């Protein structure tokens, strides 16, 4: 991927993206940024985050671009958040997730500070980090046969990459708690009623609606619109700046935790995480070695850290 020597826009073809389709149309003034990972429902991996950030940076620098549209490839998904296949490889040390989260934060900052209006074209299911991505946009259009959902507390994570910060601002405190704690799908009409999206349309009307919004945004004075966006971002920026660095560290540490390992394993094994067993283990202060009495041992330890005795499967040992 070539880098410019000055903050000047380049031809998208020169960027060499593999996970993202980036197309600029000078005639309409629209840049389309598409996550192109249909096989994993347009989930983020590290490379995708880096490519998204670079696309947003280039669009910010291009004076021919008035509006940026963010979407997912295909019709099944807009974005389903973090790629759990990749996440499963990052539980050995907290530093692995910490670096990944840095790319996530950088991508978000470049999108929110792009200096131009942005539209989320929500063409399918929108889950976890996907909802955080669409919330980072100024406007959003949702097809009427999709849904929005958060599943972090069911999958060993906390949606602190935008959802805990921005949902209370967008939909109110009680509704934010319902979305994030119950992990239930939010259907299109409910999302519209709650102010989570701006438009809900049949799939056949999606592109026309996005184009109409983009044309309306283009017909505004660019500097005035840019500063309007800056002012509107104040509450979101405040919540983000006060929490996201802490969230990055906590999520990095928690990526090595028993809860996260069990949830990711359950996802790959297509089963329900063993919530009750983990609750009982935590209530008892962790595992106990029958040989030496060492306490507080991780659910995923194979040998006792005190005496090196081999440990039985934790979930079999829990009453």
């Amino acid at each position: 991927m070539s880098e410019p020597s000055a903050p000047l826009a380049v031809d998208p073809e020169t960027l060499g993206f593999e996970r993202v389709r980036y197309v600029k149309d000078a005639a309409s003034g629209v840049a389309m940024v598409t996550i192109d990972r249909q096989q994993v429902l347009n989930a983020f991996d590290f490379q995708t985050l880096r490519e998204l950030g670079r696309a947003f940076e280039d669009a910010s620098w291009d004076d021919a671009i008035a509006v940026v549209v963010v979407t997912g490839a295909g019709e099944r998904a807009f974005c389903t958040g973090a790629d759990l296949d990749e996440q499963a490889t990052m539980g050995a040390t907290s530093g692995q997730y910490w670096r990944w989260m840095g790319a996530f934060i950088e991508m978000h900052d470049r999108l929110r500070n792009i200096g131009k209006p942005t539209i989320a074209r929500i063409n399918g299911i929108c889950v976890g980090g996907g909802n955080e991505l669409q919330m980072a946009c100024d406007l959003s259009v949702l097809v009427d046969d999709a849904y929005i959902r958060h599943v972090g507390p069911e999958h060993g994570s906390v949606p602190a990459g935008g959802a805990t910060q921005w949902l209370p601002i967008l939909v109110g405190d009680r509704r934010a708690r319902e979305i994030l704690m119950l992990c239930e799908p939010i259907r299109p009409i409910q999302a519209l009623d709650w102010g989570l999206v701006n438009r809900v349309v049949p799939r056949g009307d999606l592109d026309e609606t996005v184009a109409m919004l983009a044309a309306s945004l283009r017909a505004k004075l660019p500097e005035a619109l840019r500063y309007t966006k800056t002012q509107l971002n104040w509450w979101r920026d405040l919540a983000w700046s006060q929490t996201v660095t802490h969230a990055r560290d906590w999520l990095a540490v928690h990526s090595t935790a028993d809860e996260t390992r069990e949830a990711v394993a359950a996802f790959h094994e297509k089963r329900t995480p063993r919530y009750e067993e983990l609750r009982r283990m935590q209530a008892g202060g962790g595992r106990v070695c029958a040989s030496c009495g060492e306490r507080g041992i991780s659910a995923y330890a194979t040998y006792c850290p005190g005496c090196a005795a081999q440990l039985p499967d934790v979930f079999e040992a829990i009453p």
Side-chain angles (χ1 to χ4, degrees):
M1 183 185 306
S2 62
E3 293 292 337
S5 59
L8 300 173
V10 299
D11 182 339
E13 293 295 324
T14 68
L15 296 171
F17 291 160
E18 297 176 349
R19 305 284 203 273
V20 168
R21 293 204 310 262
Y22 176 42
V23 178
K24 296 190 285 189
D25 182 1
S28 66
V30 173
M32 180 79 75
V33 181
T34 305
I35 302 173
D36 192 10
R37 304 190 73 216
Q38 294 185 61
Q39 73 280 12
V40 290
L41 299 178
N42 297 323
F44 299 127
D45 65 358
F46 182 77
Q47 182 176 341
T48 304
L49 295 173
R50 299 284 285 178
E51 291 182 5
L52 285 170
R54 182 66 184 92
F56 297 147
E57 181 181 63
D58 181 80
S60 176
W61 293 345
D62 195 331
D63 290 335
I65 297 303
V67 180
V68 177
V69 175
V70 182
T71 191
E75 296 187 347
R76 293 184 62 196
F78 170 74
C79 174
T80 53
D83 185 336
L84 290 185
D85 288 333
E86 183 183 60
Q87 298 283 298
T89 69
M90 296 195 301
T93 69
S94 64
Q96 293 172 317
Y97 189 92
W98 188 85
R99 290 186 288 274
W100 186 96
M101 189 65 180
F104 182 89
I105 293 169
E106 181 181 10
M107 178 274 290
H108 264 282
D109 285 342
R110 286 185 172 178
L111 175 59
R112 288 171 25 261
N113 297 317
I114 204 167
K116 299 171 183 183
T118 54
I119 302 172
R121 175 187 176 273
I122 310 175
N123 55 303
I125 60 174
C126 179
V127 179
N131 186 45
E132 291 169 332
L133 179 65
Q134 76 89 9
M135 285 193 293
C137 295
D138 296 303
L139 302 174
S140 60
V141 183
L142 173 64
V143 291
D144 62 5
D145 58 354
Y147 61 83
I148 295 173
R149 188 181 184 190
H150 278 276
V151 294
E154 292 183 340
H155 288 89
S157 185
V158 173
T164 55
Q165 295 93 340
W166 302 329
L167 273 173
I169 297 170
L170 286 176
V171 304
D173 184 83
R174 292 293 189 185
R175 288 170 174 170
R177 291 172 190 268
E178 179 174 340
I179 292 169
L180 297 180
M181 299 176 79
L182 296 184
C183 302
E184 296 173 345
I186 306 300
R187 297 296 174 183
I189 297 304
Q190 186 178 18
L192 182 64
D193 182 58
W194 285 8
L196 190 52
V197 299
N198 297 96
R199 303 280 192 279
V200 170
V201 298
R203 187 169 293 277
D205 295 340
L206 178 60
D207 288 331
E208 180 182 0
T209 303
V210 170
M212 288 175 60
L213 288 173
S216 179
L217 290 167
R218 190 184 186 192
K220 306 295 184 293
L221 296 170
E223 288 185 3
L225 193 59
R226 184 177 69 215
Y227 188 58
T228 298
K229 176 179 174 118
T230 297
Q231 286 289 314
L232 286 168
N233 279 351
W234 190 85
W235 281 109
R236 294 195 201 181
D237 288 346
L238 179 64
W240 179 258
S241 65
Q242 295 298 303
T243 59
V244 77
T245 300
H246 184 280
R248 181 184 184 185
D249 272 310
W250 187 89
L251 288 167
V253 172
H254 191 69
S255 70
T256 67
D258 295 334
E259 282 190 4
T260 304
R261 293 183 181 185
E262 165 60 11
V264 172
F267 173 81
H268 285 104
E269 296 167 13
K270 302 187 186 307
R271 61 173 173 80
T272 301
R274 291 172 281 197
Y275 302 118
E276 292 306 315
E277 289 88 341
L278 282 167
R279 284 180 181 276
R280 290 197 293 272
M281 185 186 69
Q282 291 173 357
R287 299 170 74 185
V288 179
C289 176
S291 298
C292 71
E294 179 85 10
R295 303 186 67 85
I297 303 172
S298 166
Y300 280 82
T302 303
Y303 298 95
C304 172
C307 69
Q310 187 166 358
L311 300 168
D313 180 85
V314 62
F315 295 103
E316 294 176 0
I318 297 173

